[in-house]
Short mmCIF file of all heavy atoms in Angstrom, two decimals:
data_model
loop_
_atom_site.label_atom_id
_atom_site.label_comp_id
_atom_site.label_asym_id
_atom_site.label_seq_id
_atom_site.Cartn_x
_atom_site.Cartn_y
_atom_site.Cartn_z
N LEU A 134 18.53 18.09 23.93
CA LEU A 134 17.15 18.28 24.32
C LEU A 134 16.27 18.50 23.09
O LEU A 134 15.19 17.91 22.97
CB LEU A 134 17.03 19.47 25.27
CG LEU A 134 17.79 19.35 26.59
CD1 LEU A 134 17.64 20.63 27.41
CD2 LEU A 134 17.29 18.15 27.40
N THR A 135 16.71 19.34 22.17
CA THR A 135 15.94 19.59 20.96
C THR A 135 15.93 18.37 20.06
O THR A 135 14.90 18.06 19.43
CB THR A 135 16.51 20.80 20.20
OG1 THR A 135 16.41 21.96 21.05
CG2 THR A 135 15.75 21.07 18.92
N LEU A 136 17.03 17.62 19.99
CA LEU A 136 17.05 16.39 19.21
C LEU A 136 16.03 15.38 19.74
O LEU A 136 15.39 14.66 18.96
CB LEU A 136 18.45 15.78 19.21
CG LEU A 136 19.50 16.50 18.36
CD1 LEU A 136 20.85 15.83 18.51
CD2 LEU A 136 19.08 16.52 16.89
N ASN A 137 15.88 15.30 21.06
CA ASN A 137 14.87 14.42 21.64
C ASN A 137 13.47 14.84 21.19
O ASN A 137 12.63 13.99 20.87
CB ASN A 137 14.96 14.43 23.16
CG ASN A 137 15.78 13.28 23.70
OD1 ASN A 137 15.27 12.19 23.97
ND2 ASN A 137 17.08 13.51 23.84
N ALA A 138 13.22 16.13 21.17
CA ALA A 138 11.92 16.61 20.72
C ALA A 138 11.69 16.27 19.25
O ALA A 138 10.61 15.79 18.87
CB ALA A 138 11.81 18.12 20.94
N LEU A 139 12.68 16.49 18.41
CA LEU A 139 12.54 16.20 16.98
C LEU A 139 12.37 14.71 16.72
O LEU A 139 11.66 14.31 15.79
CB LEU A 139 13.76 16.74 16.21
CG LEU A 139 13.91 18.26 16.17
CD1 LEU A 139 15.21 18.65 15.49
CD2 LEU A 139 12.72 18.89 15.45
N SER A 140 13.01 13.88 17.53
CA SER A 140 12.88 12.44 17.38
C SER A 140 11.50 11.95 17.78
O SER A 140 10.99 10.97 17.24
CB SER A 140 13.94 11.71 18.23
OG SER A 140 15.24 12.08 17.82
N ALA A 141 10.87 12.65 18.74
CA ALA A 141 9.56 12.24 19.24
C ALA A 141 8.41 12.89 18.47
O ALA A 141 7.27 12.43 18.56
CB ALA A 141 9.44 12.59 20.72
N ALA A 142 8.69 13.95 17.74
CA ALA A 142 7.64 14.73 17.09
C ALA A 142 7.23 14.14 15.75
O ALA A 142 7.99 13.41 15.10
CB ALA A 142 8.10 16.17 16.90
N GLY A 143 6.02 14.49 15.33
CA GLY A 143 5.60 14.19 13.98
C GLY A 143 5.80 15.38 13.07
O GLY A 143 5.91 15.24 11.86
N GLU A 144 5.83 16.57 13.68
CA GLU A 144 5.96 17.77 12.88
C GLU A 144 6.61 18.89 13.69
O GLU A 144 6.73 18.79 14.92
CB GLU A 144 4.59 18.23 12.37
CG GLU A 144 3.56 18.43 13.45
CD GLU A 144 2.16 18.66 12.90
OE1 GLU A 144 1.99 19.67 12.17
OE2 GLU A 144 1.27 17.86 13.20
N VAL A 145 6.99 19.94 12.99
CA VAL A 145 7.69 21.07 13.58
C VAL A 145 6.96 22.35 13.22
O VAL A 145 6.57 22.55 12.06
CB VAL A 145 9.14 21.15 13.07
CG1 VAL A 145 9.82 22.44 13.51
CG2 VAL A 145 9.95 19.94 13.55
N PHE A 146 6.76 23.20 14.21
CA PHE A 146 6.34 24.58 13.99
C PHE A 146 7.54 25.48 14.30
O PHE A 146 8.21 25.28 15.32
CB PHE A 146 5.19 24.99 14.90
CG PHE A 146 3.82 24.53 14.45
CD1 PHE A 146 3.65 23.72 13.34
CD2 PHE A 146 2.69 24.93 15.15
CE1 PHE A 146 2.40 23.30 12.94
CE2 PHE A 146 1.43 24.52 14.76
CZ PHE A 146 1.28 23.70 13.65
N ILE A 147 7.79 26.46 13.45
CA ILE A 147 8.88 27.40 13.67
C ILE A 147 8.30 28.80 13.86
O ILE A 147 7.81 29.41 12.90
CB ILE A 147 9.87 27.41 12.49
CG1 ILE A 147 10.44 26.01 12.26
CG2 ILE A 147 10.99 28.41 12.74
CD1 ILE A 147 11.34 25.90 11.04
N PRO A 148 8.29 29.32 15.09
CA PRO A 148 7.89 30.72 15.29
C PRO A 148 8.99 31.64 14.75
O PRO A 148 10.18 31.38 14.97
CB PRO A 148 7.75 30.85 16.81
CG PRO A 148 7.79 29.45 17.33
CD PRO A 148 8.60 28.67 16.35
N LEU A 149 8.60 32.69 14.09
CA LEU A 149 9.59 33.54 13.43
C LEU A 149 9.15 34.99 13.51
O LEU A 149 7.99 35.31 13.22
CB LEU A 149 9.75 33.12 11.97
CG LEU A 149 10.99 33.60 11.23
CD1 LEU A 149 12.23 32.94 11.77
CD2 LEU A 149 10.83 33.32 9.74
N GLN A 150 10.07 35.84 13.90
CA GLN A 150 9.81 37.27 13.87
C GLN A 150 10.22 37.79 12.49
O GLN A 150 11.32 37.47 12.01
CB GLN A 150 10.61 37.96 14.97
CG GLN A 150 10.16 39.38 15.26
CD GLN A 150 10.89 39.97 16.46
OE1 GLN A 150 11.62 39.27 17.16
NE2 GLN A 150 10.70 41.26 16.69
N PRO A 151 9.37 38.54 11.80
CA PRO A 151 9.65 38.89 10.41
C PRO A 151 10.65 40.01 10.24
O PRO A 151 10.31 41.13 9.82
CB PRO A 151 8.27 39.28 9.87
CG PRO A 151 7.57 39.83 11.05
CD PRO A 151 8.05 39.02 12.22
N HIS A 152 11.91 39.74 10.58
CA HIS A 152 12.98 40.65 10.17
C HIS A 152 14.18 39.80 9.77
O HIS A 152 14.25 38.60 10.07
CB HIS A 152 13.33 41.67 11.26
CG HIS A 152 13.76 41.08 12.56
ND1 HIS A 152 14.92 40.38 12.73
CD2 HIS A 152 13.16 41.11 13.78
CE1 HIS A 152 15.05 40.00 13.98
NE2 HIS A 152 13.99 40.42 14.65
N PHE A 153 15.13 40.38 9.08
CA PHE A 153 16.18 39.59 8.44
C PHE A 153 17.07 38.86 9.44
O PHE A 153 17.54 37.76 9.17
CB PHE A 153 17.00 40.48 7.51
CG PHE A 153 16.25 40.89 6.28
CD1 PHE A 153 15.89 42.21 6.08
CD2 PHE A 153 15.87 39.96 5.33
CE1 PHE A 153 15.17 42.60 4.95
CE2 PHE A 153 15.16 40.33 4.21
CZ PHE A 153 14.81 41.65 4.01
N LEU A 154 17.32 39.44 10.60
CA LEU A 154 18.13 38.76 11.59
C LEU A 154 17.45 37.49 12.09
O LEU A 154 18.10 36.50 12.41
CB LEU A 154 18.44 39.69 12.77
CG LEU A 154 19.45 40.80 12.49
CD1 LEU A 154 19.63 41.67 13.73
CD2 LEU A 154 20.79 40.22 12.05
N ALA A 155 16.12 37.50 12.15
CA ALA A 155 15.39 36.31 12.59
C ALA A 155 15.50 35.20 11.56
O ALA A 155 15.43 34.01 11.90
CB ALA A 155 13.92 36.66 12.83
N LEU A 156 15.67 35.58 10.28
CA LEU A 156 15.84 34.56 9.24
C LEU A 156 17.22 33.93 9.29
O LEU A 156 17.42 32.81 8.80
CB LEU A 156 15.62 35.18 7.86
CG LEU A 156 14.18 35.52 7.48
CD1 LEU A 156 14.15 36.25 6.14
CD2 LEU A 156 13.33 34.28 7.43
N HIS A 157 18.18 34.65 9.89
CA HIS A 157 19.54 34.14 9.98
C HIS A 157 19.54 32.87 10.84
O HIS A 157 19.04 32.86 11.95
CB HIS A 157 20.46 35.20 10.60
CG HIS A 157 21.90 34.78 10.63
ND1 HIS A 157 22.66 34.69 9.50
CD2 HIS A 157 22.70 34.41 11.66
CE1 HIS A 157 23.87 34.29 9.82
NE2 HIS A 157 23.92 34.13 11.12
N GLY A 158 20.08 31.82 10.34
CA GLY A 158 20.11 30.56 11.08
C GLY A 158 19.01 29.60 10.69
O GLY A 158 19.01 28.44 11.12
N MET A 159 18.04 30.05 9.87
CA MET A 159 16.98 29.15 9.43
C MET A 159 17.54 27.96 8.68
O MET A 159 17.06 26.83 8.80
CB MET A 159 15.99 29.91 8.54
CG MET A 159 14.84 30.56 9.26
SD MET A 159 13.53 29.42 9.72
CE MET A 159 12.79 29.12 8.11
N GLY A 160 18.59 28.22 7.89
CA GLY A 160 19.20 27.13 7.13
C GLY A 160 19.73 26.03 8.02
O GLY A 160 19.55 24.84 7.75
N LYS A 161 20.40 26.42 9.11
CA LYS A 161 20.93 25.44 10.05
C LYS A 161 19.82 24.67 10.73
O LYS A 161 19.91 23.45 10.93
CB LYS A 161 21.79 26.15 11.10
CG LYS A 161 22.45 25.23 12.11
CD LYS A 161 23.45 24.30 11.46
CE LYS A 161 24.18 23.44 12.49
NZ LYS A 161 25.11 22.48 11.87
N LEU A 162 18.76 25.35 11.08
CA LEU A 162 17.62 24.71 11.72
C LEU A 162 16.98 23.69 10.79
O LEU A 162 16.71 22.54 11.19
CB LEU A 162 16.59 25.78 12.11
CG LEU A 162 15.27 25.32 12.72
CD1 LEU A 162 15.51 24.47 13.95
CD2 LEU A 162 14.40 26.51 13.05
N LEU A 163 16.77 24.07 9.54
CA LEU A 163 16.17 23.15 8.58
C LEU A 163 17.11 22.00 8.26
O LEU A 163 16.67 20.86 8.06
CB LEU A 163 15.78 23.90 7.31
CG LEU A 163 14.65 24.93 7.49
CD1 LEU A 163 14.43 25.70 6.19
CD2 LEU A 163 13.36 24.28 7.94
N GLU A 164 18.40 22.28 8.23
CA GLU A 164 19.39 21.22 8.00
C GLU A 164 19.32 20.18 9.12
O GLU A 164 19.42 18.98 8.87
CB GLU A 164 20.79 21.83 7.94
CG GLU A 164 21.91 20.82 7.73
CD GLU A 164 23.28 21.48 7.78
OE1 GLU A 164 23.40 22.65 7.37
OE2 GLU A 164 24.23 20.82 8.25
N THR A 165 19.12 20.64 10.35
CA THR A 165 19.01 19.72 11.48
C THR A 165 17.78 18.84 11.33
O THR A 165 17.84 17.62 11.58
CB THR A 165 18.94 20.50 12.81
OG1 THR A 165 20.14 21.26 12.95
CG2 THR A 165 18.80 19.55 13.99
N THR A 166 16.64 19.42 10.93
CA THR A 166 15.44 18.60 10.74
C THR A 166 15.66 17.56 9.63
O THR A 166 15.16 16.44 9.73
CB THR A 166 14.21 19.46 10.40
OG1 THR A 166 14.40 20.12 9.14
CG2 THR A 166 13.96 20.50 11.49
N ALA A 167 16.41 17.94 8.60
CA ALA A 167 16.68 16.98 7.53
C ALA A 167 17.53 15.81 8.02
O ALA A 167 17.28 14.65 7.67
CB ALA A 167 17.38 17.70 6.36
N LEU A 168 18.53 16.10 8.86
CA LEU A 168 19.37 15.03 9.40
C LEU A 168 18.57 14.11 10.31
O LEU A 168 18.72 12.88 10.25
CB LEU A 168 20.55 15.63 10.16
CG LEU A 168 21.64 16.28 9.31
CD1 LEU A 168 22.66 17.00 10.20
CD2 LEU A 168 22.34 15.23 8.46
N VAL A 169 17.72 14.69 11.15
CA VAL A 169 16.90 13.86 12.04
C VAL A 169 15.94 13.01 11.23
O VAL A 169 15.73 11.82 11.51
CB VAL A 169 16.13 14.75 13.04
CG1 VAL A 169 15.13 13.92 13.85
CG2 VAL A 169 17.11 15.44 13.99
N SER A 170 15.35 13.60 10.19
CA SER A 170 14.43 12.87 9.33
C SER A 170 15.13 11.70 8.63
O SER A 170 14.58 10.61 8.49
CB SER A 170 13.83 13.81 8.29
OG SER A 170 13.02 13.12 7.37
N LYS A 171 16.36 11.93 8.22
CA LYS A 171 17.11 10.90 7.49
C LYS A 171 17.59 9.77 8.40
O LYS A 171 17.55 8.60 8.02
CB LYS A 171 18.30 11.55 6.78
CG LYS A 171 19.16 10.59 5.99
CD LYS A 171 20.31 11.32 5.30
CE LYS A 171 21.18 10.36 4.52
NZ LYS A 171 22.32 11.07 3.86
N ARG A 172 18.01 10.11 9.62
CA ARG A 172 18.69 9.13 10.45
C ARG A 172 17.87 8.57 11.60
O ARG A 172 18.13 7.46 12.07
CB ARG A 172 19.97 9.75 11.03
CG ARG A 172 20.95 10.19 9.96
CD ARG A 172 22.17 10.86 10.55
NE ARG A 172 23.11 11.30 9.53
CZ ARG A 172 24.23 11.97 9.77
NH1 ARG A 172 24.55 12.29 11.02
NH2 ARG A 172 25.03 12.33 8.78
#
């Protein structure tokens, strides 16, 4: 479902709560956008 959104989107907004646990996983999220952008 999220891949469909990324494939159809021109851009991404990431809502984030400013504490360290919320930052956990950002790398995986950004990695996914890079793969969608590349492929």
Side-chain angles (χ1 to χ4, degrees):
L134 299 177
T135 299
L136 287 177
N137 264 271
L139 293 175
S140 299
E144 55 189 299
V145 171
F146 280 5
I147 302 175
L149 197 69
Q150 194 174 352
H152 59 66
F153 288 113
L154 287 179
L156 287 175
H157 184 71
M159 270 281 287
K161 182 64 176 177
L162 176 56
L163 294 175
E164 179 184 328
T165 300
T166 64
L168 288 172
V169 173
S170 175
K171 180 179 179 181
R172 299 178 181 177

